[in-house]
Amino acid sequence: MLKELRAKLDNKEISAVQLTQHYLDAIKIKNPALNAYVNVTSDYALAAAAAADEVIAAGKQTMLTGIPYAVKDIYCVQGIESTGASNILKGYKPPYTATVIKRLPGAVLLGKTNSDEFAMGASTENSCFGPTLNPYDPTRVAGGSSGGSAAAVAADLAVFSFGSDTGGSVRQPASFCGIVGLRPTYGRISRYGVMPMASSMDTVGPFAKTVEDLALLLEQVAGFDPKDGVTSQQPVEQYSATVNQPVEKLRIGIVKEYFELEGLDPAIRQLTERVINQLATLGAEIVPLSLPHTKYAVPAYYVIVPSEVSSNLARFDGIRYGYRAPETADLLDVYTRSREQGFGDEAKRRIMIGTYALSAGYYDAYYAKAMKVRTLIRQDFVAAFKQVDVLLAPPCPGIAFKLGEKSDPIQMYLEDVFAAPASLAGLPGLVVPAGQVNQLPVGVQIMGPQLSEALILRVGRMIEGLPGQ
Amino acid sequence: MALTRDEVIRISKLARIALTEEEIDRFQVEMSRILDYVDQLNELDTTNIAPTAQVTGLENRLRPDVVDDEFTREEMLASAIDTAEGHVVVKSVFNKAS
């Protein structure tokens, strides 16, 4: 899709301003019902589009010049309200811009998209702006936490978008909205300027309509950034140059524990198996294997994440930025009242669970224990990738659920059951549409070893090209 | 119930979050259920297993300690809620001696 739009812009079939206006008009019509965008930056977008047209007229355009896109509201953009979908940051206009956005020169930012508060959730219902609705069925969620970014692309309100994935927040909404989404290897894309949730697992990643577009986007934004200390210095590959090459002699691992999981929708299991069988007929070798510690991934994740959340969200103190409670008696009162009034329930739950898990007397029982289990989960993957090139699995246990259906926190946490293991190990995961169940889209997830993006994108492209997709 | 009401109050103080009486009751139930759920980690024997603190394999990455002027004082203070004479204003920490 990016290449076609690039050609149209370069051939002057359409101007960047016309293209941007087309998307702004579509947002005006469709967004009130979907709530994918929480802040539409029309003036900023039209100015950027006009500048892009000048660049194109001068023949100095690059891949993304004049292409309209969106980012999740946890991305900081200088001078543009960036709230993390939290009341505690309403009105905040950052003095700086996220690295990812700087690495999309010429692309036209249409606005900020909805999210669970500071990316904490799996439905975009934990947002101070209210939930994003699924473009396929407005009684259902778009997934989360990057639900707004996924819905915007699915509903043709942006050509591509960026979200973040700590424990499935790109992968599950991509599945729910029937588009492609990539969680990159931990450290492959800089997170500078993106509000942190759980720093040892946070990644940022793109959504698009095609795997080729993801490849084009990844090669634009990936790579070392001195401002994110965990970014890899490994060279960035030209993913788009190889994405269309089918993989010969592909060895696909099928994880026994994933398919035996209680709670996996049988229709989704069948759809995943159909994709696997189709790849087998193309010559892929299917290898059943075991990741014995799978069951412990979500419990370990929900100790480690809240612990890191309690630390990361300590910065919201009602003093340097964001919300301050009125009528406070002293400094302590400023902290406790501002945080009481500014944070939503899930933020409070995670901060308090994390505070408890890190507190004197409980650290070893919870946090240290979870960090050790994390080692076991990583070792499972190391053993698996000695036998196979990639793992194929559902992205999440079910189809898009109804608004309000998962009001119980633990039920919501179980959405991450197929996503949390790779997150704990820092692995990349790509979600590609696999079909529909009850007229709702369902994706399939391809996981690979660290920095195997070129390979999983090629596999994703193969799945995209299968008959019936 | 994994947590007592007093423990929830103690945690909320450590976390610097004021809670209403209703919230204390609700969080006691919800947090206890979450802690019961994660307790299944204790089924695993992790003796002699090293903890994973990070997954990149990178070691201390250092940079020269050089001041840059990416932001001006005014830009940084623009986000603060209350400022005076180029500084952030905070409430008093100690009560004035009466």
Side-chain angles (χ1 to χ4, degrees), chain A residues 45 75 90 127 135 138 145 216 239 315 323 405 430 448:
Chain A
Y75 284 64
K90 276 269 177 79
S127 164
S145 64
L216 288 162
Y239 306 102
R315 72 191 66 200
Y323 175 79
E405 185 181 326
L430 168 66

Side-chain angles (χ1 to χ4, degrees), chain A residues 92 95-96 186 224 227 229-231 233 293 295-296 298-300 303 318-322 324 328 330-332 334-337 339-340 345 348-349 351-352 355-356 362 366 369 371-376 378 408 410 413-414 424 426 450, chain B residues 2-3 7-8 10-12 14-20 23 26-27 30-31 33-35 37-46 49-56 58 61 70-71 75-76 79-82 88-93 95:
Chain A
Y92 173 62
Y96 68 118
Y186 180 77
F224 177 68
K227 288 177 171 165
V230 305
T231 45
Q233 278 173 317
H293 299 97
K295 167 184 172 198
Y296 301 101
V298 173
V303 173
I319 294 189
R320 290 162 298 168
Y321 33 69
R324 176 184 293 183
T328 48
D330 56 20
L331 185 61
L332 185 62
V334 172
Y335 298 152
T336 60
R337 295 281 166 210
R339 289 161 67 79
E340 174 194 23
D345 275 356
K348 288 177 185 171
R349 270 192 295 270
I351 290 169
M352 290 202 292
T355 301
Y356 181 70
Y362 298 96
Y366 290 103
K369 181 78 187 182
M371 302 264 278
K372 288 176 181 174
V373 173
R374 188 173 183 182
T375 302
L376 297 173
R378 287 175 69 203
D408 169 58
I410 293 173
Y413 296 173
L414 289 171
L424 288 160
Q450 288 195 356
Chain B
L3 290 176
E7 280 176 307
V8 175
R10 186 181 67 89
I11 297 164
S12 77
L14 288 172
R16 300 286 188 265
I17 298 176
L19 296 180
T20 62
E23 282 178 318
R26 188 157 48 84
F27 285 132
E30 289 174 352
M31 290 171 63
R33 289 195 50 228
I34 293 167
L35 292 172
Y37 172 72
V38 303
D39 264 345
Q40 58 183 298
L41 295 176
N42 292 317
E43 294 166 13
L44 290 172
D45 179 6
T46 50
I49 303 290
T52 291
Q54 56 107 333
V55 295
T56 60
L58 296 170
R61 194 178 252 177
E70 188 178 345
F71 303 108
E75 283 168 337
M76 295 311 287
S79 310
I81 294 138
D82 193 5
V88 175
V89 175
V90 297
K91 286 253 183 190
S92 60
V93 178
N95 294 323

Side-chain angles (χ1 to χ4, degrees), chain A residues 115-195:
Chain A
S115 163
D116 286 294
E117 183 174 12
F118 295 123
M120 294 187 282
S123 68
T124 316
E125 291 170 297
N126 299 333
S127 164
C128 72
F129 301 104
T132 295
L133 308 186
N134 193 300
Y136 285 80
D137 178 349
T139 68
R140 292 174 188 272
V141 302
S145 64
S146 311
S149 291
V153 170
D156 294 320
L157 304 183
V159 178
F160 67 89
S161 65
F162 272 84
S164 68
D165 187 313
T166 306
S169 285
V170 163
R171 289 167 282 169
Q172 182 247 33
S175 182
F176 282 8
C177 292
I179 58 172
V180 294
L182 175 69
R183 172 200 164 88
T185 302
Y186 180 77
R188 180 74 293 190
I189 304 179
S190 168
R191 304 161 303 171
Y192 179 70
V194 182
M195 296 168 199

